[in-house]
Amino acid sequence: MIYFNNDYTEGAHEKILERFIETNMVQAPGYGFDEYSKRAKDYIKTATKTEDIDIHFLSGGTQTNLIVIAASLRPYEGVITADSGHIHTLETGAIESIGHKLLLLPNKEGKITATQVQELCESYWKNGAKMHQVQPGMVYLSNPTETGTLYSKAELTTLSEVCKKYEMKLFIDGARLGYGLVAETNDLTLQDLTELTDVYYIGGTKIGALFGEAVVISNNEIKRGFRSIIKQKGGLLAKSRALGIQFEVLFEENLYFDLSEHAVKLGMKLKEIFKELNIPLKYEAYTNQLFPILPNKILKKLQGKYVFLEMNDEDEENTLIRICMTWATKEENVDNLINDFYKLMKE
Amino acid sequence: MIYFNNDYTEGAHEKILERFIETNMVQAPGYGFDEYSKRAKDYIKTATKTEDIDIHFLSGGTQTNLIVIAASLRPYEGVITADSGHIHTLETGAIESIGHKLLLLPNKEGKITATQVQELCESYWKNGAKMHQVQPGMVYLSNPTETGTLYSKAELTTLSEVCKKYEMKLFIDGARLGYGLVAETNDLTLQDLTELTDVYYIGGTKIGALFGEAVVISNNEIKRGFRSIIKQKGGLLAKSRALGIQFEVLFEENLYFDLSEHAVKLGMKLKEIFKELNIPLKYEAYTNQLFPILPNKILKKLQGKYVFLEMNDEDEENTLIRICMTWATKEENVDNLINDFYKLMKE
Amino acid sequence: MIYFNNDYTEGAHEKILERFIETNMVQAPGYGFDEYSKRAKDYIKTATKTEDIDIHFLSGGTQTNLIVIAASLRPYEGVITADSGHIHTLETGAIESIGHKLLLLPNKEGKITATQVQELCESYWKNGAKMHQVQPGMVYLSNPTETGTLYSKAELTTLSEVCKKYEMKLFIDGARLGYGLVAETNDLTLQDLTELTDVYYIGGTKIGALFGEAVVISNNEIKRGFRSIIKQKGGLLAKSRALGIQFEVLFEENLYFDLSEHAVKLGMKLKEIFKELNIPLKYEAYTNQLFPILPNKILKKLQGKYVFLEMNDEDEENTLIRICMTWATKEENVDNLINDFYKLMKE
Amino acid sequence: MIYFNNDYTEGAHEKILERFIETNMVQAPGYGFDEYSKRAKDYIKTATKTEDIDIHFLSGGTQTNLIVIAASLRPYEGVITADSGHIHTLETGAIESIGHKLLLLPNKEGKITATQVQELCESYWKNGAKMHQVQPGMVYLSNPTETGTLYSKAELTTLSEVCKKYEMKLFIDGARLGYGLVAETNDLTLQDLTELTDVYYIGGTKIGALFGEAVVISNNEIKRGFRSIIKQKGGLLAKSRALGIQFEVLFEENLYFDLSEHAVKLGMKLKEIFKELNIPLKYEAYTNQLFPILPNKILKKLQGKYVFLEMNDEDEENTLIRICMTWATKEENVDNLINDFYKLMKE
């Protein structure tokens, strides 16, 4: 079986494993004070063209989300998020577990708008803070979103402005950030993200790392005691070299973006075929994720050979599925899949 | 500089890294459902000679402690621990951060006794539960302790009995468990631990793994929803293979214990020399940690070449230090250290 | 100005204040061990015709909700509630603040159905517990609801059955319970509530007390350590007599229900007039709350003399308001209001 | 039986109950917006001679402690307290329950010193913040302490200075504040407290109120969103008049201090007799609490008629007890007690 169902089916890019081996017996301090982590941070500072930021490496997305939010909010503040946001749908109440309510906005293709946020805040602040309701303290976005859509620089700028107006933090979950940044339609850079948000993270787990996310903090309030919160929430690795080495390898040259491009290029190749074969896509696709709506009889035949993520029944005869390309996807597997689509759709 | 200051200075045992490479491009499910994790669990079940246990792999000690305790207690229950316990001294309030108070008992060489626990419980339960005080719900031990001492089977048995009597869970932090189990004076087996406790963990980070702790749960209450708590607290790796592979390699043959023996053997070699040279040890040493009290002038000279953990000033002329042997310690480094001790003490 | 905007505008029923004075200098134990609390509990046991329950007195609704829920759930469990539920809309994230996520169902006139709950649970449990999502652990209802509607015995019975099926607790917020129990359309008794739920409360604050809610617990799991949780969450009054006396007065004879009837009778009187004057009600009204949709020009004129709660604009020319009758409402005030309605509507 | 065991055995001062009755049918807004609360706040501002403070009324000590601390600390910060502090010994882990660790200092007669605090902070901050340990964020004192001792203005000033130096908040638990402020040896005023601390509270429950504590906040950070935290933690009374009226009555004239003086005067009267009869006091007594060490045979005889709080066995033949005078203590009861002491000690 060939797995296209998610973006964490393989291990890590071979250069990372090689570096693990090369450096293995070097004795290094732990808890973030190793040389690999320091260098990785320098590479990321260069990539963001910003000096005045704090960078921390964490193990996974949920851990990162809960630590960032714990560092950002007072007890009565909540997080504005799309109702499709990962923190709402797939994290077992991690954010509530640290005491914060989510303030849901209906998503459009995974996204929310500055206008929606503005309206929510206006309603809360009308006639002074509403003490019976949770105060909006942060806006959480993901980019790319859960459905693979992207925020433009213009959209992010207006969201950032609303956040400033209402003294809220802006946080971007970048679990798949690389796949977004290399998309044809993207107009955001790491520098833009650093300037427009208070905090965001560069996802490694889904893009070449065995595990790991790099948090980039520009807001000074969030920086305060961040390390202590990482430790308190169980996110601090004794052998922090394991994270430092991975991000060093990904950012010392251009590997992170090269891997991202590999996946997105394959995604676009597959997208072309869907267009040609008139297979509709549920959401605009410019990154590594595609959400085609497949006839069930086609899907059934493919399932002998491939694994997809079945999202839901679109109607009685069609199913919405997710197909993920990754840094590790072999082009021949995609070509085989394309051939099988051709054959089945032309039968 | 040669580091003897802690037990996480190197990476992972080479067999683990090799296995990472061999299996790297195999596509595997995540979140604990990979084959490596399944096999690793089977090996551990064999090692504990127990079938009816749940095993979960986590990334580090603090994470493990907080997740186990979250799964074990009702809101008003607290954890009895030695005042030298890691959860009290070195985890940034992780346990309080999830809502639970620690009930401190004065330690003797890092240990507490069944009698101490019994007295605390008697006092709490006298005249019925004391609603103004936290109810003792769990006893937390570490074995080996922070100072390298060990619980005997007899001690653990009486502690287990007190726990049962007062309906408390017994939890052992086994961050250095292997180093304890291979000690000359140890009379506990993994099977004993499984029978006598409700939950414990087998530490990997300090014994051959890059990171990773294996939680072994025999209490059915604690088993309930444990995976959900792991996810909620940010402890679930997407690529759970990273943990599964490590514990598979450590337990498929005897590697975990071989590595433990290597470190302890070196520790005992060094201990002999301390005896010979009349360098006093603060605590009984039978595992990988030694706590000698060194004359400051000797210490100063050694510090040009070696790094130790300075614990505290014993008096004006002597300092208590910690020296750690690990799975990765080179015998030649220990021999050099021994020679330097000889030279310096005989000067 | 005459206030009809909520049900806590006056102090307490005069009999309560008199009893405060009569008993004031009697020396009594605190923290729930006073004689008044004991007798009040006995009266409530008689009223529920159940012996095997625990009763606790708390100060207000939010406090009660958060303490009950803290006592009921494991960390990864959440609370199913109508999206109109008080715990979601008006408690500043109190439930999230103790770590639990709310699982929202769309309300119909403030209510949810057994079918909705069943579907949510089916979806969660399909293919085993979903570890990335919060497990439904409790169903929270209010009766009467926020919009004054009532659950029938049949509805509550099926809800109770679904809860049992999925091992969830059933909890009823009875902040206005009395007003519901005396409604013409009600077919539930305190005994029914005690049998069908795991825990509920009898609201005092809105029905004659200065403050106070009586929690009735039949589920043994929830009973465990409940007092300790009250204390821990800051809900335990030193002078618990202040609560005991109030519930003793309310339940030693029939005062609680007499006061409820007074308010509901006035509500029904007003409702008749609305029918007569063709003023539409947004929700069925059988208790002390009415939700008429008023022409703005009428509303404006009334506002010189009366205070209502403006809910929202129904359309450009009409506004949805809430009018509350309470145990303290003077009939002459209602008569004046009725006369004013007549005059204004006939103009 | 006559109770001297604690300071909450009676109801409320009669003027409070009378005011309840007088104002009972006045319709008032709730949740802190009633006129009584506003006036009470003005009276307290006058008493503190400070305008720029926020005042909030809460129901009890544990509730107040947990709300104040929730409003004051970031997640990784803890509270320095004497090991005899109420938040450590008698609040069922309330502070840990909201996520914060207590940093214990050994008490001397219930007190801690600026030097102790300084040393703890120096140790924490030496070589930069220690990310494995909880950061000291607040100092919690009680005045009078649990054992009835008092902080002098000089002591409080140096404690305040240390707090400023290490950017920590200073918080005084004033559950018995009045009894302290009227003590012969006291040199602190409400104005001093307001200037020297970031937040403190004026206890009502133990001094004339049925329940209630008035929180006085001068630190702007703590003020932020305080009302929202009160609501979130279940501390906001719908009928806030119940608190407003009590503090209005206590502070509109000098009642709070008159009642305090009554109790302290009786305490000093009893103290004289203890001196005369050579009954030793465990702690200096200048307020309403006395801690005599009584011969067990005397104690036994008194226990037929009086109730004291037995603290612990001082030795085999003597017991340490607590005797409380309160605003409600009848002088004749104290006189009877004195007579009985005379008789028994002279036998």
Side-chain angles (χ1 to χ4, degrees):
Chain A
M1 298 291 281
I2 297 162
Y3 288 79
F4 287 109
N5 56 327
N6 64 44
D7 20 27
Y8 47 82
T9 42
E10 284 86 359
H13 190 271
E14 58 184 354
K15 281 195 189 163
I16 286 174
L17 298 185
E18 282 160 14
R19 191 69 57 83
F20 277 171
I21 287 180
E22 284 162 35
T23 60
N24 194 39
M25 295 307 285
V26 176
Q27 292 193 308
Y31 297 119
F33 294 108
D34 61 283
E35 290 303 312
Y36 314 101
S37 294
K38 282 181 196 164
R39 279 198 298 272
K41 289 176 189 184
D42 285 340
Y43 289 127
I44 291 176
K45 285 190 180 180
T46 303
T48 60
K49 299 184 181 157
T50 320
E51 269 307 300
D52 188 24
I53 48 176
D54 278 8
I55 296 165
H56 300 275
F57 301 119
L58 292 167
S59 298
T62 299
Q63 184 179 86
T64 304
N65 288 332
L66 80 83
I67 287 172
V68 165
I69 291 170
S72 300
L73 299 185
R74 280 174 66 73
Y76 53 88
E77 292 180 324
V79 185
I80 297 176
T81 175
D83 54 4
S84 54
H86 202 265
I87 53 172
H88 178 56
T89 58
L90 285 167
E91 302 191 353
T92 325
I95 307 311
E96 291 86 354
S97 140
I98 55 160
H100 299 288
K101 192 179 183 75
L102 303 183
L103 305 169
L104 303 180
L105 290 176
N107 81 91
K108 220 179 216 166
E109 305 219 335
K111 292 163 64 178
I112 53 174
T113 67
T115 309
Q116 285 177 293
V117 173
Q118 164 81 19
E119 282 168 7
L120 187 154
C121 293
E122 260 172 22
S123 156
Y124 176 83
W125 286 106
K126 199 181 160 186
N127 309 323
K130 299 208 167 13
M131 71 176 155
H132 296 265
Q133 279 143 38
V134 163
Q135 190 170 111
M138 174 177 256
V139 171
Y140 164 93
L141 310 174
S142 47
N143 190 49
T145 66
E146 294 300 307
T147 49
T149 49
L150 293 170
Y151 284 92
S152 70
K153 187 168 174 180
E155 288 170 333
L156 202 60
T157 303
T158 55
L159 279 159
S160 179
E161 284 162 2
V162 179
C163 286
K164 283 201 177 56
K165 182 171 169 191
Y166 291 103
E167 296 184 13
M168 300 185 295
K169 276 100 177 175
L170 179 55
F171 170 33
I172 293 184
D173 173 335
R176 295 186 179 93
L177 191 59
Y179 297 138
L181 293 182
V182 303
E184 181 193 338
T185 52
N186 172 63
D187 64 352
L188 283 165
T189 64
L190 282 181
Q191 190 180 0
D192 294 334
L193 289 168
T194 310
E195 282 170 11
L196 292 171
T197 73
D198 296 278
V199 54
Y200 67 97
Y201 67 94
I202 303 171
T205 302
K206 290 171 193 276
I207 311 183
L210 191 57
F211 61 93
E213 324 290 317
V215 184
V216 179
I217 311 178
S218 36
N219 180 304
N220 288 328
E221 257 188 83
I222 303 175
K223 288 176 189 171
R224 268 187 60 205
F226 200 86
R227 255 181 215 282
S228 297
I229 299 180
I230 294 176
K231 175 64 188 168
Q232 184 183 70
K233 303 303 182 196
L236 196 61
L237 282 195
K239 296 178 182 173
S240 50
R241 64 198 295 153
L243 284 161
I245 288 167
Q246 295 190 74
F247 279 95
E248 190 182 0
V249 172
L250 289 171
F251 279 88
E252 65 192 354
E253 286 171 7
N254 206 43
L255 186 60
Y256 186 72
F257 295 102
D258 293 345
L259 296 180
S260 298
E261 271 174 10
H262 169 81
V264 172
K265 200 191 68 184
L266 294 179
M268 294 308 95
K269 189 173 184 178
L270 186 59
K271 181 176 152 186
E272 273 308 297
I273 279 34
F274 287 154
K275 203 183 285 178
E276 211 180 309
L277 296 174
N278 286 318
I279 295 172
L281 292 178
K282 182 79 174 180
Y283 309 107
E284 274 193 12
Y286 291 101
T287 71
N288 71 316
Q289 297 187 92
L290 290 99
F291 294 87
I293 298 165
L294 289 191
N296 294 343
K297 54 182 187 183
I298 302 286
L299 179 58
K300 217 172 224 170
K301 284 176 188 163
L302 290 166
Q303 283 171 332
K305 202 166 156 189
Y306 305 100
V307 178
F308 311 116
L309 183 70
E310 289 184 47
M311 304 293 287
N312 52 250
D313 297 344
E314 191 64 15
D315 56 41
E316 282 188 19
E317 296 183 0
N318 295 281
T319 300
L320 174 64
I321 66 163
R322 183 179 72 168
I323 301 182
C324 287
M325 300 293 129
T326 78
W327 60 276
T329 305
K330 290 175 192 155
E331 184 145 13
E332 60 178 276
N333 285 340
V334 180
D335 289 340
N336 283 334
L337 178 63
I338 286 174
N339 287 336
D340 287 333
F341 266 117
Y342 265 112
K343 263 186 274 169
L344 289 167
M345 294 297 286
K346 302 268 152 119
E347 263 172 14
Chain B
M1 298 291 282
I2 297 163
Y3 288 79
F4 286 110
N5 57 326
N6 64 45
D7 21 26
Y8 47 82
T9 41
E10 284 87 0
H13 190 269
E14 58 185 353
K15 280 195 189 164
I16 285 174
L17 298 185
E18 283 160 15
R19 192 67 59 83
F20 277 171
I21 287 180
E22 285 162 35
T23 60
N24 194 40
M25 295 307 286
V26 176
Q27 293 194 306
Y31 298 117
F33 294 107
D34 61 284
E35 288 304 312
Y36 314 101
S37 294
K38 282 181 195 163
R39 280 198 299 270
K41 290 176 188 184
D42 285 341
Y43 289 128
I44 291 175
K45 285 189 179 179
T46 303
T48 60
K49 298 184 182 157
T50 319
E51 268 307 301
D52 188 23
I53 48 176
D54 278 6
I55 296 165
H56 300 275
F57 302 119
L58 291 167
S59 298
T62 300
Q63 184 179 86
T64 304
N65 288 332
L66 80 85
I67 287 172
V68 164
I69 291 171
S72 299
L73 299 185
R74 278 175 68 73
Y76 53 88
E77 291 180 325
V79 185
I80 296 176
T81 174
D83 54 5
S84 54
H86 202 267
I87 53 171
H88 178 56
T89 58
L90 286 166
E91 302 191 354
T92 325
I95 307 312
E96 291 86 353
S97 142
I98 56 159
H100 299 289
K101 193 179 183 73
L102 304 182
L103 305 168
L104 303 181
L105 290 175
N107 80 91
K108 221 179 214 166
E109 304 218 332
K111 292 164 63 178
I112 53 175
T113 66
T115 308
Q116 285 177 291
V117 173
Q118 164 82 20
E119 281 168 7
L120 188 154
C121 293
E122 259 174 20
S123 157
Y124 176 84
W125 287 104
K126 198 180 161 189
N127 309 323
K130 299 207 166 17
M131 71 175 154
H132 296 265
Q133 279 143 39
V134 163
Q135 191 170 112
M138 174 177 258
V139 171
Y140 164 94
L141 310 173
S142 47
N143 191 50
T145 66
E146 294 298 306
T147 48
T149 49
L150 293 170
Y151 284 92
S152 70
K153 186 167 176 179
E155 287 170 333
L156 202 60
T157 303
T158 57
L159 278 159
S160 178
E161 285 162 2
V162 179
C163 286
K164 283 202 176 56
K165 180 171 170 192
Y166 291 103
E167 296 185 14
M168 300 185 295
K169 276 98 177 175
L170 180 55
F171 170 34
I172 293 185
D173 174 335
R176 296 187 177 92
L177 191 58
Y179 297 136
L181 294 182
V182 303
E184 182 193 337
T185 52
N186 173 63
D187 65 352
L188 283 164
T189 63
L190 281 180
Q191 189 179 1
D192 294 333
L193 289 169
T194 311
E195 281 170 11
L196 291 172
T197 73
D198 296 277
V199 54
Y200 68 97
Y201 67 93
I202 303 171
T205 302
K206 291 171 192 279
I207 311 182
L210 190 57
F211 60 94
E213 323 292 316
V215 185
V216 179
I217 311 176
S218 37
N219 179 305
N220 287 328
E221 258 186 83
I222 303 176
K223 287 177 189 171
R224 267 187 62 206
F226 200 85
R227 254 180 214 282
S228 297
I229 299 180
I230 295 177
K231 174 66 188 167
Q232 184 184 71
K233 304 303 184 198
L236 197 60
L237 282 194
K239 297 178 182 172
S240 51
R241 64 199 293 154
L243 285 162
I245 288 167
Q246 295 189 74
F247 279 95
E248 189 181 2
V249 172
L250 289 171
F251 279 88
E252 64 192 356
E253 288 172 3
N254 207 43
L255 186 60
Y256 185 74
F257 295 102
D258 293 345
L259 295 180
S260 299
E261 271 173 11
H262 169 80
V264 172
K265 200 191 67 187
L266 294 179
M268 295 307 95
K269 189 173 183 178
L270 187 58
K271 180 176 152 185
E272 274 308 297
I273 277 37
F274 287 152
K275 202 181 287 175
E276 212 180 308
L277 296 174
N278 287 317
I279 295 173
L281 291 178
K282 182 80 174 182
Y283 310 108
E284 275 193 11
Y286 292 101
T287 70
N288 70 317
Q289 297 187 91
L290 290 99
F291 294 86
I293 298 165
L294 289 192
N296 294 344
K297 53 181 187 183
I298 303 285
L299 179 57
K300 216 172 226 173
K301 284 176 189 164
L302 290 166
Q303 283 171 333
K305 202 164 154 190
Y306 305 100
V307 179
F308 311 116
L309 184 69
E310 288 184 50
M311 303 295 286
N312 52 249
D313 297 344
E314 192 64 16
D315 55 42
E316 281 188 21
E317 296 182 2
N318 295 281
T319 300
L320 174 65
I321 66 163
R322 183 179 72 168
I323 301 181
C324 287
M325 301 291 129
T326 77
W327 61 277
T329 304
K330 290 175 191 152
E331 183 145 14
E332 60 176 277
N333 285 339
V334 180
D335 289 340
N336 283 334
L337 178 63
I338 287 173
N339 286 336
D340 287 332
F341 267 117
Y342 264 113
K343 264 187 273 168
L344 290 168
M345 296 295 287
K346 302 267 152 116
E347 265 171 11
Chain C
M1 299 291 282
I2 297 163
Y3 288 78
F4 286 110
N5 56 327
N6 64 45
D7 21 26
Y8 47 81
T9 42
E10 284 86 0
H13 190 270
E14 59 184 354
K15 281 195 190 165
I16 286 174
L17 298 184
E18 283 161 15
R19 191 68 58 85
F20 277 171
I21 287 180
E22 285 162 35
T23 60
N24 194 39
M25 296 306 287
V26 176
Q27 294 193 306
Y31 297 117
F33 294 107
D34 61 283
E35 289 304 312
Y36 314 101
S37 294
K38 282 181 195 163
R39 281 198 298 272
K41 290 176 188 184
D42 285 341
Y43 290 128
I44 291 176
K45 285 188 179 180
T46 304
T48 60
K49 298 184 182 157
T50 320
E51 268 307 301
D52 187 24
I53 48 176
D54 278 7
I55 296 165
H56 301 276
F57 301 119
L58 291 167
S59 298
T62 300
Q63 184 178 87
T64 305
N65 288 332
L66 80 85
I67 288 172
V68 165
I69 291 170
S72 300
L73 298 185
R74 279 174 67 72
Y76 54 87
E77 291 180 325
V79 185
I80 296 175
T81 175
D83 53 5
S84 53
H86 203 266
I87 52 171
H88 178 56
T89 58
L90 286 166
E91 302 191 355
T92 325
I95 307 312
E96 290 87 353
S97 140
I98 56 160
H100 298 289
K101 192 179 184 74
L102 304 182
L103 305 169
L104 303 180
L105 290 176
N107 81 90
K108 222 180 214 166
E109 305 218 333
K111 292 164 63 178
I112 53 174
T113 66
T115 308
Q116 285 177 291
V117 173
Q118 164 82 20
E119 282 168 6
L120 187 154
C121 293
E122 259 174 20
S123 157
Y124 176 83
W125 287 104
K126 198 181 162 188
N127 309 324
K130 299 208 166 14
M131 71 174 154
H132 296 265
Q133 279 143 39
V134 163
Q135 191 170 113
M138 173 177 259
V139 171
Y140 164 93
L141 310 174
S142 47
N143 190 49
T145 66
E146 294 299 306
T147 49
T149 49
L150 294 170
Y151 284 91
S152 70
K153 186 167 175 179
E155 287 170 332
L156 203 60
T157 303
T158 55
L159 278 159
S160 178
E161 285 162 2
V162 179
C163 287
K164 282 202 176 56
K165 181 172 169 191
Y166 291 103
E167 296 185 15
M168 299 185 295
K169 276 98 177 175
L170 180 55
F171 170 33
I172 292 184
D173 174 335
R176 296 186 178 92
L177 191 59
Y179 297 137
L181 294 181
V182 303
E184 182 193 337
T185 51
N186 172 64
D187 64 352
L188 283 163
T189 63
L190 281 180
Q191 189 178 2
D192 295 333
L193 289 170
T194 310
E195 283 170 10
L196 292 171
T197 73
D198 296 278
V199 53
Y200 68 97
Y201 68 92
I202 303 172
T205 302
K206 292 170 192 277
I207 311 182
L210 190 56
F211 62 94
E213 324 291 317
V215 185
V216 179
I217 311 176
S218 36
N219 179 304
N220 288 328
E221 257 186 84
I222 303 176
K223 288 177 188 170
R224 268 186 62 205
F226 200 86
R227 255 180 213 283
S228 297
I229 298 180
I230 294 176
K231 174 66 188 167
Q232 184 183 71
K233 303 303 183 198
L236 197 61
L237 282 194
K239 297 179 182 172
S240 50
R241 64 200 293 155
L243 285 161
I245 289 167
Q246 295 188 73
F247 279 95
E248 189 181 2
V249 173
L250 289 171
F251 280 88
E252 66 192 354
E253 286 171 5
N254 209 41
L255 186 59
Y256 186 73
F257 295 101
D258 293 345
L259 295 179
S260 298
E261 271 174 11
H262 168 80
V264 172
K265 201 192 68 187
L266 294 179
M268 295 306 96
K269 189 173 184 178
L270 186 58
K271 181 177 152 184
E272 274 307 299
I273 279 34
F274 287 152
K275 203 182 287 178
E276 212 180 308
L277 296 173
N278 286 317
I279 295 173
L281 291 178
K282 182 79 175 181
Y283 310 107
E284 276 194 10
Y286 292 100
T287 71
N288 71 317
Q289 298 187 91
L290 291 98
F291 293 86
I293 297 165
L294 288 192
N296 294 344
K297 52 182 187 180
I298 303 284
L299 179 57
K300 217 171 225 173
K301 285 177 188 163
L302 290 166
Q303 283 171 332
K305 202 164 155 190
Y306 306 100
V307 178
F308 311 116
L309 183 70
E310 288 183 49
M311 304 293 286
N312 54 250
D313 298 343
E314 192 64 15
D315 55 40
E316 282 188 20
E317 296 182 1
N318 295 281
T319 300
L320 174 65
I321 66 164
R322 182 179 73 169
I323 301 181
C324 287
M325 301 291 128
T326 78
W327 61 276
T329 304
K330 290 176 192 154
E331 183 145 15
E332 58 177 277
N333 285 339
V334 180
D335 289 340
N336 283 334
L337 178 62
I338 286 174
N339 286 336
D340 287 331
F341 266 117
Y342 263 113
K343 263 188 273 170
L344 288 167
M345 295 296 287
K346 302 268 153 117
E347 266 172 12
Chain D
M1 298 291 281
I2 296 162
Y3 288 80
F4 287 108
N5 56 327
N6 63 45
D7 20 27
Y8 47 82
T9 42
E10 284 86 359
H13 190 271
E14 58 185 352
K15 281 195 189 163
I16 286 173
L17 299 184
E18 282 161 15
R19 191 68 58 83
F20 277 171
I21 287 179
E22 285 162 34
T23 60
N24 194 39
M25 295 307 285
V26 176
Q27 292 193 308
Y31 297 118
F33 294 107
D34 61 283
E35 289 303 312
Y36 314 102
S37 294
K38 283 181 196 164
R39 279 198 298 272
K41 289 176 189 184
D42 285 340
Y43 289 128
I44 290 176
K45 286 188 180 181
T46 302
T48 60
K49 298 185 181 156
T50 319
E51 268 306 301
D52 188 24
I53 48 175
D54 278 8
I55 296 164
H56 300 276
F57 301 119
L58 291 167
S59 298
T62 299
Q63 184 178 86
T64 304
N65 288 332
L66 80 85
I67 287 172
V68 165
I69 291 170
S72 300
L73 299 184
R74 280 174 67 72
Y76 54 89
E77 292 180 324
V79 185
I80 297 176
T81 175
D83 54 4
S84 54
H86 202 265
I87 53 172
H88 177 57
T89 58
L90 286 166
E91 302 191 354
T92 325
I95 308 310
E96 291 87 353
S97 140
I98 55 159
H100 298 289
K101 190 178 185 77
L102 303 182
L103 305 169
L104 302 180
L105 290 176
N107 81 90
K108 220 178 215 165
E109 305 219 333
K111 292 163 64 179
I112 53 175
T113 66
T115 308
Q116 285 177 292
V117 173
Q118 164 82 19
E119 282 168 7
L120 187 154
C121 293
E122 259 173 22
S123 156
Y124 176 82
W125 287 105
K126 198 180 160 189
N127 309 325
K130 298 206 169 14
M131 71 176 155
H132 296 264
Q133 279 144 39
V134 163
Q135 190 170 113
M138 174 177 256
V139 171
Y140 164 94
L141 310 173
S142 47
N143 190 49
T145 65
E146 294 299 306
T147 49
T149 49
L150 293 170
Y151 284 91
S152 69
K153 187 167 174 179
E155 288 170 332
L156 202 60
T157 303
T158 56
L159 279 158
S160 179
E161 284 162 2
V162 179
C163 287
K164 282 201 179 55
K165 180 171 170 191
Y166 291 103
E167 296 184 14
M168 300 185 295
K169 277 100 178 175
L170 179 55
F171 170 33
I172 293 184
D173 174 335
R176 294 185 179 93
L177 191 59
Y179 297 137
L181 293 182
V182 304
E184 182 192 336
T185 52
N186 173 63
D187 65 352
L188 283 165
T189 64
L190 282 181
Q191 190 179 359
D192 294 334
L193 289 168
T194 310
E195 283 170 10
L196 292 171
T197 73
D198 296 278
V199 54
Y200 67 98
Y201 68 93
I202 304 171
T205 302
K206 291 171 192 277
I207 311 183
L210 191 56
F211 61 93
E213 323 292 318
V215 184
V216 179
I217 312 177
S218 36
N219 179 304
N220 288 328
E221 258 187 83
I222 303 176
K223 288 177 188 171
R224 268 187 61 205
F226 201 85
R227 255 181 214 283
S228 297
I229 299 180
I230 295 176
K231 175 64 188 169
Q232 184 184 69
K233 304 303 182 196
L236 196 61
L237 282 194
K239 296 178 182 173
S240 51
R241 65 199 295 153
L243 284 162
I245 288 166
Q246 295 189 73
F247 279 94
E248 190 182 0
V249 172
L250 288 171
F251 279 87
E252 65 193 354
E253 286 170 5
N254 206 42
L255 186 59
Y256 186 72
F257 296 102
D258 293 344
L259 296 179
S260 298
E261 271 173 11
H262 169 81
V264 172
K265 201 192 66 187
L266 294 179
M268 294 308 94
K269 188 173 185 177
L270 187 58
K271 181 176 152 185
E272 274 308 297
I273 280 34
F274 287 153
K275 204 182 285 178
E276 212 180 309
L277 297 174
N278 286 318
I279 295 172
L281 291 179
K282 181 80 175 180
Y283 310 107
E284 275 194 10
Y286 292 100
T287 70
N288 72 316
Q289 298 187 91
L290 290 99
F291 294 86
I293 298 165
L294 290 191
N296 294 344
K297 53 181 187 183
I298 303 285
L299 179 57
K300 217 172 224 170
K301 284 177 188 161
L302 290 166
Q303 283 170 333
K305 201 165 157 190
Y306 306 99
V307 178
F308 311 115
L309 184 69
E310 290 184 47
M311 304 294 287
N312 52 250
D313 297 345
E314 191 64 16
D315 55 41
E316 281 188 21
E317 296 183 0
N318 295 281
T319 300
L320 173 64
I321 66 163
R322 183 179 73 168
I323 302 182
C324 287
M325 300 293 129
T326 78
W327 61 277
T329 304
K330 290 176 193 154
E331 183 145 13
E332 61 177 275
N333 284 341
V334 180
D335 289 341
N336 283 334
L337 178 63
I338 286 173
N339 287 335
D340 287 333
F341 267 118
Y342 264 113
K343 262 186 275 169
L344 290 167
M345 295 295 288
K346 304 267 153 120
E347 263 173 13

